[in-house]
């Protein structure tokens, strides 16, 4: 199983297992151009829509797929937005109560183009390696630049002018290497599931697990998984199945991730922002003068909490480098109350709140998380200082829940427009 939330810095068989189906086919490209009025000269924003290779899903099935070398804007560019959703073989949006998008993550890597193109031969660190975001998590945990889950359709990733996420800078790519991107996605088909909610939470007792599951499965720290693990990523491995209502019959279908990227060609008028992904499970400790982070990426909310007060998962996270806050939002799951990032002095930097659906159509599914709010402070109004300790709190309804996530995305600029 690929674990996108953990660990190797190489894009190799430590990162992508034999169980993964790697697809390099991209089916659709629809370019267009729009214009931003902020900068002079005029800033041409280009937009393209792509679709990953498709994979088959049936009632109750789980798919965890990685698509390497995906279509991505070429050259030295500034990314303005990156959004995605699940679609069927006709390109129709799939509602979450049928097929649940647990997560999608876009991850950058540099590949040695002087070596064999066969990904099965990539074994050494010099063959390919991650270029992770600036976040504080240890190793390769949460290395992605963009990525949400069921809330994707209603959570914008748009960055205001003149800011952009710089990619493809030739001065930052080693000679003989090429900058590439992969998408890791997890999808759960809940049709016919005995308990849809438990299925989307990857509850182990609601999955048809192999008999030797706990003997052969390793956790995020590469330790053998114990029976105390009640649910989460490791119980939603590729080709596993949610327990089904007896006698339920449903059709199989092809599913893809459709993603839309907007960008500009890089020039002197762009101001780069750095991407930081913080985790409310981060257990920070020190080894002498060195700060060590231990992010778990997911957590379990125990039973018996009750009451009206939400469950709060909290982390105090020192930031080696700061900057001006340009964008903030959270990636969480259904049941979320909100997530808040605080400065060291207690000031609120950003609170991201959920929106739940009220209908049946894709993007407005009743009872499902359909979006998280985004903070766009005035660019000069909030500055995070070098060495400042931030506090991240993720809040859920206080009831038993597995696979809860509290990831907070912030984009920081080191400079402001003149």
């Amino acid at each position: 199983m690929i674990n996108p939330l953990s660990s190797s810095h190489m894009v190799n068989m430590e990162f992508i297992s034999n169980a993964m189906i790697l697809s390099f086919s991209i089916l659709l490209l629809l370019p267009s151009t729009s214009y931003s009025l902020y900068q002079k000269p005029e800033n041409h924003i280009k937009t393209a829509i792509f679709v990953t290779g498709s994979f088959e899903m049936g009632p109750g099935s789980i798919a965890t797929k990685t698509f390497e070398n995906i279509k991505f804007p070429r050259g030295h560019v500034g990314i303005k937005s990156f959004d995605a959703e699940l679609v069927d073989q006709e390109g129709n949006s799939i509602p979450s109560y049928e097929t649940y998008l647990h997560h999608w993550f876009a991850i950058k890597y540099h590949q040695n183009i002087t070596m064999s193109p066969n990904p099965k031969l990539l074994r050494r660190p010099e063959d390919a390696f991650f270029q992770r975001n600036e976040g504080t998590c240890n190793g390769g945990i949460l290395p992605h630049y963009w990525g949400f889950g069921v809330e994707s359709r209603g959570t914008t990733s748009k960055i205001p002018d003149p800011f952009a996420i710089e990619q493809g800078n030739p001065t930052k790519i080693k000679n003989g290497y090429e900058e590439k991107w992969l998408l890791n996605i997890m999808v759960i088909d809940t049709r016919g599931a005995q308990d849809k909610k438990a299925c989307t939470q990857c509850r182990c007792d609601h999955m048809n697990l192999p008999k030797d599951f706990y003997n052969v499965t390793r956790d995020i720290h590469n330790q053998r998984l114990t029976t105390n693990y009640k649910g989460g990523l490791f119980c939603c491995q590729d080709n596993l199945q949610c327990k089904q209502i007896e006698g339920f019959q449903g059709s199989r279908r092809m599913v893809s991730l459709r993603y839309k990227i907007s960008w500009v060609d890089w020039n002197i008028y762009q101001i780069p922002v750095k991407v930081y992904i913080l985790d409310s499970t981060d257990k920070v400790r020190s080894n002498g003068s060195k700060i060590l982070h231990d992010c778990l990426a997911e957590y379990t909310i125990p039973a018996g909490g009750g009451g009206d007060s939400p469950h709060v998962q909290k982390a105090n996270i020192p930031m080696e480098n700061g900057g001006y806050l340009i964008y903030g939002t959270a990636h969480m799951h259904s049941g979320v109350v909100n997530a808040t990032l605080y400065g060291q002095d207690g000031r609120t930097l950003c609170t991201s709140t959920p929106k739940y659906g009220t209908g049946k159509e894709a993007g407005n599914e009743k009872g499902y998380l359909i979006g998280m709010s985004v903070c766009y402070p005035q660019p000069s109004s909030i500055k995070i200082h070098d060495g400042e300790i931030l506090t991240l709190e993720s809040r859920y309804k206080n009831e038993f829940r597995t696979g809860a996530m509290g990831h907070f995305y912030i984009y920081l600029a080191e400079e402001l427009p003149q």
Side-chain angles (χ1 to χ4, degrees):
M1 169 192 175
I2 180 171
N3 181 2
L5 307 175
S6 107
S7 82
S8 172
H9 280 273
M10 298 178 291
V11 177
N12 59 18
M13 299 306 286
E14 291 181 80
F15 184 76
I16 302 174
S17 72
N18 287 323
M20 247 340 115
I21 300 174
L22 302 179
S23 173
F24 299 89
S25 61
I26 305 296
L27 305 180
L28 182 65
L29 169 59
L30 298 174
S32 65
T33 301
S34 61
Y35 300 93
S36 164
L37 301 179
Y38 185 95
Q39 297 151 329
K40 295 181 181 180
E42 205 166 33
N43 184 31
H44 293 248
I45 298 179
K46 305 172 185 177
T47 298
I49 298 174
F50 310 91
V51 180
T52 66
S54 59
F55 48 95
E56 188 176 46
M57 299 200 73
S61 64
I62 297 170
T64 303
K65 305 297 183 185
T66 295
F67 296 91
E68 284 189 332
N69 194 22
I70 62 168
K71 291 291 185 182
F72 193 89
R74 295 293 183 181
H76 191 184
V77 298
I79 305 299
K80 301 291 291 182
S81 64
F82 192 135
D83 302 302
E85 68 163 338
L86 277 182
V87 295
D88 63 18
Q89 59 266 37
E90 280 82 36
N92 300 313
S93 300
I94 302 176
S96 297
Y97 52 79
E98 293 183 0
T99 307
Y100 184 90
L101 179 57
H102 183 278
H103 72 256
W104 62 271
F105 294 145
I107 302 171
K108 178 168 66 173
Y109 64 101
H110 286 184
Q111 184 169 343
N112 190 332
I113 56 177
T114 67
M115 308 299 291
S116 168
N118 186 348
K120 293 183 179 180
L121 299 180
L122 297 179
R123 293 291 190 275
R124 304 168 301 172
E126 62 266 28
D127 293 332
F129 53 89
F130 285 144
Q131 289 287 309
R132 59 165 299 136
N133 65 71
E134 303 288 336
T136 56
C137 284
N138 42 304
I141 297 176
L142 305 184
H144 54 289
Y145 279 72
W146 297 274
F148 294 114
V150 68
E151 78 278 22
S152 290
R153 292 186 180 108
T155 308
T156 181
S157 63
K158 185 178 180 181
I159 304 173
D161 291 334
F163 304 99
I165 298 174
E166 183 183 13
Q167 301 297 336
N169 186 340
T171 66
K172 297 181 180 180
I173 302 173
K174 291 170 60 176
N175 187 37
Y177 284 77
E178 185 176 349
E179 186 171 286
K180 297 184 178 182
W181 291 82
L182 65 82
L183 275 169
N184 173 263
I185 64 178
M186 180 190 288
V187 181
I188 305 169
D189 193 316
T190 61
R191 293 175 296 165
Q194 292 178 2
D195 186 329
K196 285 179 179 280
K197 183 178 178 180
C199 186
T200 61
Q201 292 180 19
C202 300
R203 290 260 300 274
C204 301
D205 58 347
H206 284 263
M207 302 295 169
N208 291 320
L209 300 177
K211 291 183 179 180
D212 61 350
F213 174 78
Y214 285 102
N215 291 327
V216 301
T217 305
R218 298 278 172 168
D219 67 14
I220 204 165
H221 293 122
N222 202 31
Q223 302 297 312
R224 194 174 79 174
L225 205 66
T226 72
T227 54
N228 292 327
Y229 184 81
K230 301 303 181 183
L233 291 166
F234 298 99
C235 285
C236 271
Q237 298 185 37
D238 195 39
N239 294 321
L240 290 182
Q241 186 91 10
C242 294
K243 291 180 179 178
Q244 293 281 282
I245 298 170
E246 187 175 354
F248 181 84
Q249 298 292 323
S251 61
R252 301 186 66 82
R253 62 183 172 194
M254 303 304 291
V255 175
S256 300
L257 189 76
R258 181 167 62 201
Y259 60 103
K260 178 180 179 181
I261 304 177
S262 295
W263 74 96
V264 295
D265 294 328
W266 195 261
N267 58 45
I268 61 173
Y269 301 100
Q270 313 304 321
I271 296 180
V273 293
K274 292 184 176 181
V275 178
Y276 291 80
I277 299 179
L278 309 178
D279 182 14
S280 65
T281 70
D282 191 353
K283 304 301 181 186
V284 180
R285 56 191 173 88
S286 61
N287 183 5
S289 61
K290 186 177 182 181
I291 300 296
L292 303 177
H293 297 266
D294 184 10
C295 297
L296 302 178
E298 63 174 358
Y299 61 99
T300 295
I301 299 173
D308 296 329
S309 298
H311 178 275
V312 181
Q313 178 69 31
K314 179 178 178 180
N316 296 316
I317 305 170
M319 297 284 289
E320 182 177 353
N321 299 306
Y324 296 97
L325 182 62
I326 304 302
Y327 171 100
T329 193
H331 165 52
M332 302 183 73
H333 293 168
S334 291
V336 55
V337 175
N338 61 43
T340 300
L341 188 65
Y342 300 96
Q344 188 166 334
D345 59 0
R347 71 196 189 283
T348 297
L349 305 180
C350 175
T351 294
S352 184
T353 58
K355 181 179 181 181
Y356 288 92
T358 58
K360 291 185 177 181
E361 67 275 18
N364 188 35
E365 301 92 333
K366 185 177 181 179
Y368 283 81
L369 178 64
I370 60 171
M372 293 294 293
S373 67
V374 172
C375 297
Y376 287 113
Q378 288 295 320
S380 62
S381 63
I382 297 178
K383 184 176 184 180
I384 295 169
H385 300 284
D386 294 352
E388 184 170 356
I389 298 175
L390 306 184
T391 297
L392 173 57
E393 294 183 352
S394 57
R395 301 178 183 87
Y396 280 88
K397 293 179 181 178
N398 207 341
E399 58 189 20
F400 180 60
R401 176 175 301 277
T402 61
M405 291 184 174
H407 306 162
F408 212 95
Y409 297 46
I410 55 174
Y411 299 166
L412 302 183
E414 294 180 349
E415 59 181 290
L416 295 174
Q418 300 300 315

